[in-house]
Amino acid sequence: MKLFHCPGSCSNGIEYLLQQTGQPFEVEVIDLKSGDHRQPGFLAQNPKGKVPALLRPDGSVLTEFPVISYWVANNFPEAKLLSQDPETRIRTLELLEHIVSSIHMRGFTFIFAPHKFTADEVAQETLREHGRGEVQKGLAQLSETLSTSDYLMGDFSIADCAAFYVLNWAQAPEFKMPENLHKLLTRLQNRAA
Ligand SMILES: N[C@@H](CCC(=O)N[C@@H](CS)C(=O)NCC(=O)O)C(=O)O
């Protein structure tokens, strides 16, 4: 397997997830700041021009964080990244989707890249403010879900791998991270894998 990855971006979560499987994988760094994601070589692998993208052993490339997570969890069941119980599985996917589609895409995206939506600097600040509100709301929801458990779904899962990258971003001083999420991040950072 080969992960197309930009360190510090959301593909951190997939790198972390792959490490949990214990399976060998290569990393090709796609430096977003240098525009590597717009180069023909990478676009030939992923025409969407985004990371993460995972080149699988059969030569096909899989994209979209939740889908890559699901495929990895299904292909390496011994890593126990997704429960076998149908209701727990669907709730794990629901949570994973919330982290990626809401906290990242509707929160952090507006904070990191408001210029993608408007050139107007006042409007950019409005978008940043909106993004901060969405992130703060998302952190409160994650904190409630986690409660006093060790991991978001009780046992470690693909949802924690998504939490790993957004909680890293949420360490910035502009956010107020609930104490139990701080502890979750430390627990995730300290996992042997
Ligand atoms: N829906 C995609 C979003 C991936 C995404 O937005 N990746 C960002 C890095 S965190 C990216 O590649 N941005 C480059 C760009 O949008 O030009 C997923 O779930 O994987």
Side-chain angles (χ1 to χ4, degrees), residues 9-11 32 37-38 49-52 63-66 100 104-105 116 169:
S9 79
C10 60
S11 58
L32 297 176
H37 56 310
R38 289 190 288 268
K50 289 186 191 294
V51 294
T63 63
E64 304 298 332
F65 194 109
V100 175
H104 172 187
M105 303 309 300
K116 283 191 175 172
W169 289 345

Side-chain angles (χ1 to χ4, degrees), residues 101-118 123-135:
S101 302
S102 298
I103 303 178
H104 172 187
M105 303 309 300
R106 304 298 294 267
F108 283 107
T109 300
F110 292 137
I111 299 167
F112 294 153
H115 55 274
K116 283 191 175 172
F117 303 95
T118 174
Q124 287 181 9
E125 190 41 46
T126 305
L127 283 177
R128 274 194 211 96
E129 193 50 42
H130 173 78
R132 282 191 282 268
E134 289 298 299
V135 169

Side-chain angles (χ1 to χ4, degrees), residues 2-188:
K2 179 159 85 173
L3 174 65
F4 296 96
H5 171 44
C6 178
S9 79
C10 60
S11 58
N12 269 14
I14 298 295
E15 185 192 35
Y16 182 82
L17 168 72
L18 289 171
Q19 285 165 348
Q20 304 305 313
T21 68
Q23 297 293 320
F25 66 97
E26 288 173 54
V27 169
E28 182 171 328
V29 172
I30 301 297
D31 185 2
L32 297 176
K33 281 208 177 87
S34 310
D36 290 352
H37 56 310
R38 289 190 288 268
Q39 295 303 316
F42 179 58
L43 290 173
Q45 298 287 353
N46 178 13
K48 295 175 196 164
K50 289 186 191 294
V51 294
L54 184 69
L55 178 63
R56 297 183 292 177
D58 70 357
S60 66
V61 172
L62 203 56
T63 63
E64 304 298 332
F65 194 109
V67 174
I68 296 172
S69 303
Y70 186 69
W71 181 83
V72 171
N74 274 338
N75 268 267
F76 306 108
E78 63 287 350
K80 297 191 183 337
L81 296 162
L82 186 57
S83 168
Q84 292 305 312
D85 171 64
E87 181 62 15
T88 310
R89 281 174 84 83
I90 207 71
R91 291 296 183 190
T92 307
L93 292 173
E94 180 184 43
L95 183 54
L96 173 60
E97 188 63 28
H98 174 69
I99 294 169
V100 175
S101 302
S102 298
I103 303 178
H104 172 187
M105 303 309 300
R106 304 298 294 267
F108 283 107
T109 300
F110 292 137
I111 299 167
F112 294 153
H115 55 274
K116 283 191 175 172
F117 303 95
T118 174
D120 178 336
E121 290 188 6
V122 175
Q124 287 181 9
E125 190 41 46
T126 305
L127 283 177
R128 274 194 211 96
E129 193 50 42
H130 173 78
R132 282 191 282 268
E134 289 298 299
V135 169
Q136 210 54 66
K137 198 167 67 183
L139 291 177
Q141 285 159 344
L142 280 189
S143 174
E144 198 180 320
T145 301
L146 178 63
S147 186
T148 56
S149 302
D150 278 355
Y151 295 108
L152 286 167
M153 295 302 299
D155 292 329
F156 180 74
S157 75
I158 50 178
D160 296 296
C161 299
F164 177 75
Y165 82 84
V166 293
L167 293 182
N168 266 306
W169 289 345
Q171 289 182 102
E174 60 196 293
F175 305 110
K176 207 169 159 290
M177 176 129 54
E179 192 51 34
N180 64 344
L181 293 183
H182 253 303
K183 287 187 179 152
L184 172 63
L185 181 57
T186 305
R187 198 170 292 120
L188 293 173

